[in-house]
Amino acid sequence: MIMPSPGAPLVLVFFLAFVSLFAVHASAAGAESPFLLAAARTHRKDPLAGLRYYTGGWNISSEHYWASVGFSAAPVFAAAGIWFAVFGAALFLAGCCYCCCPSRSTSYSRAGLVISFALLLLFTAAAVVGCAILYDGQGRFHGSTSATVDYVVKQSGDTVDNLRTFTGYLEAAKAAGVGPVSLPDDLKGRIDDVVRKIGSASDVLAARTASNSAKIRDALDTIRTILIVLAAGMLILAFAGLVLSACGLESLVYVLVFLAWIMVASTFVLCGTFLLLHNVVGDTCEAMGEWVRHPQEHTALDDILPCVDTAAATEALSRGKEVNYRLVAVLNGVISNVSNADFPPGAPPSPPLYYNQSGPPMPLLCNLYTPDLHDRACAPGEVVGPDAARQAWGTHACKTDGSGQVCATTGRLTPSMLEQMVGAANVSYGLSRYGPVLTDLADCSFVRRAFQAVGKDHCPGLGRYSEQVYRGLLAVAVAVLLSVLLWVLHSRERRKRSDAREMELVAPAPPMYRHGYPVEEKALLYSPRRPSM
């Protein structure tokens, strides 16, 4: 088949965002490739090789490549694990202390209250900015990735249409001819074989395009939904924590703290995933660019390209040339031996060989190939293409008698023969026009053009917006993490101040003062009596 590899054209760019979904079709042969793609960019530490640097270049079939690119996001994943473990343990210990050793201290710091609230406002604003960056980034990333998918789907669809059009011309060649003269039966059998192979390849490519594009679009929609929900949830969480901690509602704040513990850990994990994705996008774009500059080298891309089966493409191309040559030869044979033949005057018509043809001879149709199927230049006087053939041969058409098979006026062709010949010329033109499509498939020219377009028009956006999503996630995670700590601190200070004020209200009134000195209780009972008058 023309496209036998499971890595159909659609996959060539889809792995920019979701390469792991389709990497299973690649073989490990690329790992031993003498030409390494993106070797400098992929020079990262490999945890599977004792943290030695990975030197295999871009190769999605290598577990060491995935380990090294995953290790580049290890700090973010480690932050998620540390936060989840340490803060989870702190929450557990705080809950135990609150239940077993309750303390209602009323000592608070006015400066600490003001500073914590100011910092809380600052980090809440940072969380808002991070959510805005995240929301804008996910929209741009979704649009850029969708545009890449649309471009590749269009390229794949065009390839399928060209292949099916080519097979259509091959099918038409079987029926083409003039009267009883047509292609030999053995050639028709070979045409059926080629049509079956190309048709099967076209169907596989179309089905894989539809299936993979549906998977990619579903994944994109899911990721977009997750990012939007996460941005909205973190924004609501940040504002709710600010309000509840400002009101001193410590019990409700602890409920938010528990939710934030899980959401911050999830945000860190998603942040690490997008950092990994960003690195893979950059690696793949650079690998495609280097492959375009070195198309003859054997690389890791060769294992997933749809043009690796050059033998099948060459066979189909050769068969198309053979059909084209034989068809034009048959057509020119009819023109030379029948239409341009001069029969004795007065001979009775005997269609299809003699139908009273007369007049100047018809020009031959240009045969683009030699008998050994090499390209051939047209000779002077030969017509090229169906339009030129209709125009040149139309002047040699005669008017027929009632039977429609015998010329009643001067001419070399009956109208029905003219239509059959023009139809055969159109088939020949179609085969020659769509033959280069098979050449592009065989030498990867169409893939090279697609890579150039993706690298120029789509890779910059994919890299820029995946990085924006990663930075937005990181900003939101850090801002909410610090806000959580300030929620606890500020709400405790608020609660202590509230408790202190309540104790002041219920405390006994202080003793009365007289002339600035305290009046001792029952002091007047011990004062000397005045002498009676």
Side-chain angles (χ1 to χ4, degrees):
M1 294 187 300
I2 303 303
M3 311 289 284
S5 172
L10 188 61
V11 184
L12 298 179
V13 183
F14 280 174
F15 57 60
L16 291 176
F18 304 100
V19 66
S20 60
L21 295 178
F22 309 109
V24 295
H25 298 300
S27 70
E32 301 175 358
S33 169
F35 186 82
L36 301 179
L37 297 172
R41 181 182 173 88
T42 58
H43 191 67
R44 307 182 182 98
K45 290 184 177 181
D46 180 9
L48 298 182
L51 295 182
R52 292 191 296 271
Y53 279 95
Y54 171 71
T55 58
W58 181 92
N59 186 0
I60 61 173
S61 63
S62 172
E63 61 180 7
H64 291 278
Y65 169 75
W66 285 108
S68 64
V69 75
F71 191 72
S72 65
V76 183
F77 290 120
I82 292 172
W83 163 260
F84 190 80
V86 174
F87 194 75
L91 282 179
F92 178 75
L93 293 176
C96 293
C97 292
Y98 183 81
C99 295
C100 301
C101 306
S103 173
R104 301 294 291 181
S105 173
T106 59
S107 175
Y108 70 96
S109 170
R110 292 182 180 272
L113 194 64
V114 173
I115 293 174
S116 63
F117 187 69
L119 291 176
L120 185 56
L121 289 175
L122 176 64
F123 290 127
T124 302
V128 172
V129 173
C131 289
I133 294 174
L134 174 59
Y135 182 80
D136 178 70
Q138 65 80 26
R140 294 176 183 271
F141 177 77
H142 184 274
S144 179
T145 310
S146 297
T148 305
V149 173
D150 292 340
Y151 171 78
V152 179
V153 169
K154 181 180 182 301
Q155 295 300 309
S156 178
D158 291 345
T159 302
V160 170
D161 291 341
N162 288 335
L163 289 174
R164 288 176 173 170
T165 302
F166 181 77
T167 58
Y169 279 114
L170 284 178
E171 289 280 7
K174 291 171 52 181
V178 182
V181 182
S182 63
L183 295 176
D185 293 337
D186 63 330
L187 183 56
K188 291 181 180 180
R190 293 196 293 274
I191 289 176
D192 289 336
D193 184 56
V194 173
V195 168
R196 183 170 57 254
K197 290 181 178 180
I198 298 179
S200 177
S202 302
D203 294 340
V204 170
L205 177 56
R208 195 173 300 280
T209 298
S211 174
N212 288 345
S213 62
K215 291 178 182 178
I216 293 299
R217 294 185 195 282
D218 289 344
L220 289 176
D221 292 341
T222 301
I223 290 177
R224 184 179 191 182
T225 301
I226 291 174
L227 292 176
I228 291 176
V229 171
L230 181 65
M234 295 296 265
L235 187 62
I236 294 173
L237 193 66
F239 274 114
L242 174 65
V243 173
L244 294 180
S245 59
C247 296
L249 302 176
E250 194 173 7
S251 58
L252 294 179
V253 166
Y254 278 113
V255 175
L256 289 183
V257 167
F258 178 78
L259 295 176
W261 169 53
I262 298 175
M263 293 189 67
V264 168
S266 302
T267 304
F268 271 123
V269 171
L270 198 57
C271 178
T273 302
F274 261 88
L275 176 57
L276 186 152
L277 174 64
H278 171 71
N279 290 333
V280 172
V281 168
D283 294 349
T284 306
C285 287
E286 184 167 332
M288 288 194 307
E290 292 186 3
W291 183 85
V292 169
R293 293 190 295 271
H294 304 85
Q296 304 303 322
E297 300 287 351
H298 176 62
T299 67
L301 269 174
D302 297 341
D303 299 308
I304 60 173
L305 290 181
C307 48
V308 292
D309 192 356
T310 56
T314 303
E315 178 190 357
L317 180 61
S318 176
R319 193 68 62 223
K321 289 183 177 180
E322 180 184 5
V323 171
N324 198 343
Y325 168 77
R326 299 284 291 274
L327 180 62
V328 176
V330 167
L331 192 61
N332 287 339
V334 172
I335 293 175
S336 300
N337 300 324
V338 178
S339 297
N340 287 343
D342 292 322
F343 287 82
S350 57
L353 296 180
Y354 177 53
Y355 44 90
N356 202 24
Q357 61 265 42
S358 62
M362 292 173 51
L364 299 179
L365 181 65
C366 175
N367 200 328
L368 301 177
Y369 305 105
T370 61
D372 56 358
L373 303 183
H374 289 94
D375 291 341
R376 170 186 174 274
C378 295
E382 294 180 336
V383 295
V384 182
D387 294 336
R390 179 179 291 276
Q391 182 177 2
W393 295 340
T395 59
H396 296 272
C398 66
K399 294 183 179 180
T400 60
D401 59 9
S403 65
Q405 296 182 355
V406 177
C407 286
T409 62
T410 302
R412 292 287 179 177
L413 294 173
T414 64
S416 61
M417 291 177 65
L418 174 63
E419 294 302 321
Q420 290 175 341
M421 287 185 170
V422 172
N426 185 59
V427 171
S428 172
Y429 173 76
L431 290 174
S432 63
R433 177 184 177 186
Y434 286 93
V437 173
L438 300 179
T439 304
D440 284 352
L441 294 177
D443 64 8
C444 276
S445 297
F446 87 105
V447 179
R448 195 173 300 114
R449 290 192 297 270
F451 278 8
Q452 288 175 333
V454 170
K456 179 182 177 181
D457 301 331
H458 300 280
C459 274
L462 287 172
R464 183 167 56 252
Y465 300 137
S466 62
E467 182 180 8
Q468 182 177 346
V469 172
Y470 152 70
R471 293 185 181 277
L473 287 168
L474 184 62
V476 170
V478 173
V480 174
L481 183 152
L482 296 175
S483 297
V484 169
L485 302 179
L486 290 171
W487 293 348
V488 176
L489 177 62
H490 189 73
S491 63
R492 285 175 64 85
E493 292 298 312
R494 284 276 185 179
R495 190 262 302 166
K496 289 179 180 180
R497 188 182 71 168
S498 178
D499 291 348
R501 288 182 175 179
E502 289 181 2
M503 292 186 65
E504 290 178 1
L505 293 177
V506 300
M512 300 297 296
Y513 285 75
R514 183 181 179 88
H515 302 295
Y517 297 96
V519 179
E520 188 177 340
E521 187 178 359
K522 298 182 180 180
L524 297 178
L525 298 179
Y526 304 102
S527 60
R529 293 184 179 182
R530 293 184 178 182
S532 58
M533 299 298 296

